[in-house]
Amino acid sequence: MGQRSGRQERSKKPEVALSETMEAEIEVQNNKEEIEEVKAKNQKLASVFGVADLKNEAVGLYNLGQTCCLNSLLQVFFMNIRFTRILRRITVPSPARRRSSVPYQMLLLLEKMQCGKCKAVCPTDLAYCLAEHRVKLFVQYDAAQLFLTLWNLLKKQMKNPELVEELSDLYTIRIQEHLACQKCSFEIKSNSTMLTLPLPVLDANSHRLKTLEHCLQYFFLPEKLTGQNMCFCQQCGRKTPFLQSMELVHLPQTLTLHLKRFCFERSSRTHKLSHSLPFPQELDFREVLTENQCQADDREKATWQYELFAVVAHSGYSSCGHYCAYIRSLTECKWYCFNDSQVCQVSWDDVKCTYGRSNLNWRETAYLLFYMKKHPQQPSPGVSECL
């Protein structure tokens, strides 16, 4: 059977070879067309510099149904020149995958905002793309959680490892956690990364923290784990009181601070903490944290000087509300308010209105703060910044 089968294959070899040749030619032609299409698309997208260049009028985003949170975060991403430079270098996915590619749809939306002449555009395609990844319309989102969701989708779908690493370097915070038994010398150390620093606005006794610097200092204070929070000590062989502490190892170019203004009550309901909490335009971590709260060399610490870049503010209550973004243009050094389709220039006094007031729950209060390094270790060439 094997020999007979072999003779039959040899007798059909010229016909098979001709078929394979034709298929190969067709495949080469299709590949050429796809390559040309990708090149044309890349050339077109290469001209996109990002909405951060506000020499032209800023562009808003229409609200498609409770998408104010998404719109605010997108504007913060797009106004960050270093982010748009990473986004513009992504690999264009195959036609079958473009509809569900978050980085690609964000890039198309950026192009639409940059090249269009409208005062606002509809992020419809991106919204449908996100819906395929369980980010639905007509749902009220928490800005900190949605920021993490978008970040994870971007990292997961970027195929170039170098771009993924650049994106991580741009936003990721590195810390070292310590757990020390209070009965013996047993200690556990672990390194971890964070996208945001979740800062409490109340201390353990429910007293209001007065400034952003106080929130940062409180976040890095050692915490005693006693009672029900005790940990098992391998050396003692039982649960013992532990001391939990964190040390800052590395801060990224773009630092995100999450003000935890939504407080969970024992009744499982939440309420918003709207008391005044000032935050500075300039922030130097060397002046905020102690030596025991930092694990970095002098070169690293020298870069821990920041200037405020953007504020995502929330107005309303925990159950319903609205988001908008105040963003400082890195090219014009001016503040803008992005409120869905409405964009206007504002002053620093307008931004300070997001500090909050206890007697005005509906008033805008800062929820996410984005700080940009004043003196990055490796500044991007040709980027004009007012830092």
Side-chain angles (χ1 to χ4, degrees):
M1 291 292 292
Q3 291 180 349
R4 187 179 299 120
S5 175
R7 286 195 296 273
Q8 289 176 348
E9 289 176 1
R10 283 195 294 272
S11 65
K12 292 185 178 181
K13 188 172 182 180
E15 182 179 343
V16 171
L18 180 61
S19 176
E20 289 177 349
T21 301
M22 293 177 64
E23 289 179 358
E25 290 178 353
I26 294 172
E27 184 177 356
V28 169
Q29 182 63 29
N30 290 339
N31 288 340
K32 285 183 178 179
E33 292 177 358
E34 185 171 347
I35 290 172
E36 291 300 321
E37 181 184 357
V38 170
K39 284 183 177 180
K41 192 66 179 178
N42 284 339
Q43 290 175 356
K44 187 176 182 182
L45 295 176
S47 64
V48 181
F49 186 71
V51 181
D53 183 5
L54 284 176
K55 293 179 181 178
N56 300 319
E57 190 173 359
V59 178
L61 294 170
Y62 285 111
N63 193 316
L64 303 178
Q66 297 189 29
T67 57
C68 58
C69 182
L70 173 63
N71 289 345
S72 298
L73 293 174
L74 289 175
Q75 296 286 16
V76 174
F77 274 123
F78 291 159
M79 288 285 285
N80 189 336
I81 295 176
R82 287 178 174 81
F83 173 79
T84 59
R85 287 188 167 184
I86 295 173
L87 189 66
R88 293 198 322 274
R89 288 156 52 205
I90 65 170
T91 302
V92 177
S94 63
R97 296 184 177 181
R98 292 177 186 177
R99 183 181 177 87
S100 60
S101 171
V102 174
Y104 181 72
Q105 291 300 328
M106 284 184 67
L107 185 59
L108 292 184
L109 179 60
L110 176 63
E111 177 191 15
K112 189 176 180 180
M113 295 172 69
Q114 183 68 18
C115 301
K117 297 182 180 180
C118 302
K119 292 185 177 181
V121 299
C122 282
T124 309
D125 292 340
L126 176 59
Y128 286 149
C129 171
L130 291 171
E132 293 186 18
H133 302 284
R134 299 182 181 180
V135 183
K136 304 296 184 181
L137 293 174
F138 310 107
V139 175
Q140 180 174 303
Y141 288 100
D142 178 276
Q145 185 60 47
L146 184 58
F147 180 58
L148 177 61
T149 300
L150 292 174
W151 159 263
N152 285 331
L153 287 171
L154 284 167
K155 281 192 65 178
K156 182 179 179 181
Q157 297 184 3
M158 280 188 178
K159 301 303 181 182
N160 188 332
E162 292 183 2
L163 295 185
V164 174
E165 185 176 355
E166 287 185 35
L167 188 64
S168 297
D169 290 341
L170 185 59
Y171 287 101
T172 302
I173 305 158
R174 295 204 300 267
I175 63 172
Q176 186 175 83
E177 298 179 78
H178 296 253
L179 276 173
C181 176
Q182 299 300 282
K183 297 293 184 180
C184 67
S185 58
F186 181 72
E187 185 177 12
I188 302 173
K189 294 182 180 180
S190 60
N191 296 316
S192 60
T193 60
M194 308 175 74
L195 181 61
T196 66
L197 286 181
L199 303 180
V201 297
L202 300 177
D203 64 15
N205 298 316
S206 297
H207 295 151
R208 297 173 181 175
L209 298 172
K210 296 181 179 180
T211 66
L212 178 67
E213 291 88 339
H214 291 152
C215 294
L216 284 165
Q217 291 166 355
Y218 184 78
F219 178 79
F220 283 97
L221 278 181
E223 179 184 1
K224 292 182 179 180
L225 304 179
T226 59
Q228 294 181 349
N229 296 323
M230 289 194 302
C231 302
F232 181 82
C233 177
Q234 296 179 7
Q235 190 162 300
C236 296
R238 58 188 175 87
K239 283 190 174 183
T240 61
F242 269 71
L243 185 67
Q244 183 182 40
S245 61
M246 289 185 293
E247 292 182 2
L248 195 54
V249 177
H250 171 76
L251 288 175
Q253 168 65 30
T254 303
L255 173 65
T256 309
L257 305 178
H258 170 206
L259 302 180
K260 299 175 67 176
R261 286 193 174 272
F262 297 117
C263 179
F264 292 89
E265 298 176 338
R266 293 181 179 178
S267 60
S268 73
R269 300 181 63 181
T270 62
H271 69 275
K272 182 180 176 181
L273 303 169
S274 301
H275 64 271
S276 178
L277 184 70
F279 45 85
Q281 289 195 71
E282 296 186 355
L283 183 62
D284 190 339
F285 272 75
R286 298 172 302 178
E287 299 176 357
V288 176
L289 303 182
T290 65
E291 289 292 331
N292 294 332
Q293 295 169 330
C294 304
Q295 190 187 95
D297 56 28
D298 292 338
R299 184 182 178 185
E300 167 69 23
K301 291 180 182 178
T303 67
W304 287 2
Q305 301 176 59
Y306 286 85
E307 189 162 359
L308 188 64
F309 163 62
V311 178
V312 171
H314 178 269
S315 57
Y317 302 91
S318 59
S319 58
C320 64
H322 179 73
Y323 285 99
C324 71
Y326 295 86
I327 309 174
R328 180 173 53 86
S329 165
L330 298 180
T331 54
E332 286 189 327
C333 304
K334 297 178 181 179
W335 282 95
Y336 288 83
C337 177
F338 293 83
N339 188 0
D340 286 332
S341 59
Q342 301 297 319
V343 182
C344 63
Q345 185 178 335
V346 295
S347 67
W348 171 242
D349 286 336
D350 294 318
V351 180
K352 289 195 297 184
C353 289
T354 64
Y355 285 173
R357 286 177 61 182
S358 297
N359 59 337
L360 291 174
N361 290 330
W362 183 258
R363 193 181 184 89
E364 289 178 347
T365 49
Y367 190 59
L368 292 179
L369 301 176
F370 297 84
Y371 280 86
M372 195 82 73
K373 273 187 178 177
K374 295 179 66 176
H375 307 292
Q377 289 178 322
Q378 296 179 340
S380 299
V383 178
S384 173
E385 293 188 9
C386 47
L387 300 181

